[in-house]
Amino acid sequence: MKKLLVLGGFLALAACEPAPPADPNAPSVQFSEQTLALLPPGQDLTNVILQDDNCYWYLHRGPVEDTYIPLLTRQGRGICTQG
């Protein structure tokens, strides 16, 4: 039973991981001035990719690891394309 709980914990943590980048070497995206005005400071736009979910993700460089996270507006909404 204890092994099942440990396995369940690992599976739950794995579900929290963001989707891997579609192409980590993809060039950054050019946004219009209107879109840039929606973005809060602190999101690094030098490495932005369009994921399979039709939303933009940016490379967040953390103290331990680098990971792609969703690009958000000042209101906390994702920046996505119609797809």
Side-chain angles (χ1 to χ4, degrees):
M1 183 62 147
K2 186 174 182 180
K3 289 181 184 180
L4 288 176
L5 290 174
V6 170
L7 178 60
F10 283 121
L11 291 175
L13 288 175
C16 294
E17 282 293 314
D23 181 2
N25 298 317
S28 188
V29 176
Q30 298 297 318
F31 291 107
S32 69
E33 291 296 321
Q34 294 167 332
T35 302
L36 290 174
L38 298 173
L39 303 175
Q43 296 182 113
D44 184 4
L45 301 179
T46 59
N47 195 339
V48 176
I49 59 173
L50 182 62
Q51 286 282 30
D52 294 337
D53 63 358
N54 293 323
C55 294
Y56 291 100
W57 293 53
Y58 75 98
L59 184 63
H60 172 74
R61 298 189 186 279
V64 177
E65 66 182 4
D66 299 342
T67 186
Y68 281 90
I69 58 176
L71 188 64
L72 302 176
T73 66
R74 292 178 190 266
Q75 292 78 28
R77 292 183 291 226
I79 304 287
C80 302
T81 63
Q82 295 179 4

